[in-house]
Amino acid sequence: ILNVEQSPQSLHVQEGDSTNFTCSFPSSNFYALHWYRWETAKSPEALFVMTLNGDEKKKGRISATLNTKEGYSYLYIKGSQPEDSATYLCAFKNQAGTALIFGKGTTLSVSS
Amino acid sequence: DAGITQSPRYKITETGRQVTLMCHQTWSHSYMFWYRQDLGHGLRLIYYSAAADITDKGEVPDGYVVSRSKTENFPLTLESATRSQTSVYFCASSSGQGGEAFFGQGTRLTVV
């Protein structure tokens, strides 16, 4: 069973703070790494899909980087807002598997 | 409506009963997945399907059965429900291997 680790498990920041989370995954046979945002009472929605070592993706104040050789990805949120409060999931797929394997997520709480 | 829909949204059933959770997508995505969400475990893969008539086990398949006779439908059946199967179940689909996953709204199942 593939192991996808996310840290920290939860995080509380003040409005305006910048923050980042980590996703660790097996570095061999890499295929894709996804980040999802999951708001309470909703379904997970994709933020980024990354496939190449060194990939950097950005959507507004949120960005992500990927290092497939060492098996980690960072998600950054610049100037956190209360509406950024959610659980952020990373998901990994290797070349042998068909399905995404999810980490347990990092729950972010942003207070105003 | 276009998208991926799950039914029912909520279900209470008794131990030992058979229950089927439905999942329907309108995109003709090849890949479909069933995950369960439990506190402390995040999203765990139950079963997935790469195409009609092709299914495979995920991380936690015991006690579940799936079928995929049509591309658009991927029902999940609990043959004899147990209390440990109380969970929130999410169906997802994607157009290709490693592609963005689109999630249904989830089904909250309680086994009493």
Side-chain angles (χ1 to χ4, degrees):
Chain A
I1 296 175
L2 300 174
N3 203 24
V4 180
E5 299 284 345
Q6 289 189 246
S7 63
Q9 183 176 342
S10 62
L11 191 58
H12 184 99
V13 301
Q14 296 294 313
E15 183 176 359
D17 289 348
S18 293
T19 187
N20 65 85
F21 324 134
T22 304
C23 174
S24 301
F25 51 86
S27 58
S28 60
N29 300 317
F30 175 86
Y31 190 90
L33 191 285
H34 297 203
W35 282 99
Y36 290 80
R37 171 189 166 89
W38 194 359
E39 292 181 71
T40 302
K42 294 187 178 180
S43 303
E45 293 185 349
L47 287 170
F48 306 114
V49 175
M50 296 187 288
T51 57
L52 297 176
N53 184 44
D55 259 354
E56 292 189 24
K57 301 263 185 174
K58 187 175 181 181
K59 185 180 291 186
R61 293 179 291 99
I62 304 176
S63 60
T65 61
L66 177 66
N67 183 323
T68 62
K69 296 188 185 304
E70 296 182 38
Y72 65 84
S73 175
Y74 294 135
L75 186 77
Y76 300 92
I77 301 178
K78 184 178 179 181
S80 302
Q81 299 297 309
E83 56 264 32
D84 295 329
S85 297
T87 295
Y88 292 84
L89 299 171
C90 75
F92 166 79
K93 183 189 171 313
N94 67 10
Q95 294 183 15
T98 302
L100 289 169
I101 303 300
F102 283 82
K104 294 180 181 179
T106 293
T107 299
L108 173 67
S109 176
V110 182
S111 55
S112 56
Chain B
D1 291 335
I4 180 165
T5 55
Q6 294 181 231
S7 62
R9 293 292 309 278
Y10 304 91
K11 176 74 177 178
I12 299 174
T13 192
E14 293 178 341
T15 301
R17 289 195 180 267
Q18 182 181 83
V19 60
T20 295
L21 310 184
M22 305 301 293
C23 180
H24 175 79
Q25 52 104 355
T26 60
W27 296 301
S28 298
H29 283 171
S30 297
Y31 296 89
M32 295 189 76
F33 313 91
W34 275 106
Y35 293 90
R36 59 177 288 174
Q37 178 209 0
D38 303 291
L39 195 63
H41 291 281
L43 287 171
R44 290 185 292 175
L45 182 66
I46 304 171
Y47 268 96
Y48 61 96
S49 169
D53 297 322
I54 300 175
T55 62
D56 210 344
K57 295 178 181 180
E59 183 184 359
V60 288
D62 293 344
Y64 303 96
V65 175
V66 293
S67 62
R68 186 111 180 261
S69 58
K70 293 184 178 182
T71 299
E72 61 266 30
N73 296 324
F74 191 38
L76 176 75
T77 298
L78 288 67
E79 294 187 298
S80 178
T82 65
R83 289 195 180 88
S84 65
Q85 292 177 309
T86 293
S87 186
V88 181
Y89 291 85
F90 284 94
C91 178
S93 71
S94 70
S95 59
Q97 284 203 41
E100 176 183 348
F102 294 86
F103 285 83
Q105 322 94 303
T107 295
R108 183 177 293 276
L109 176 68
T110 302
V111 183
V112 298

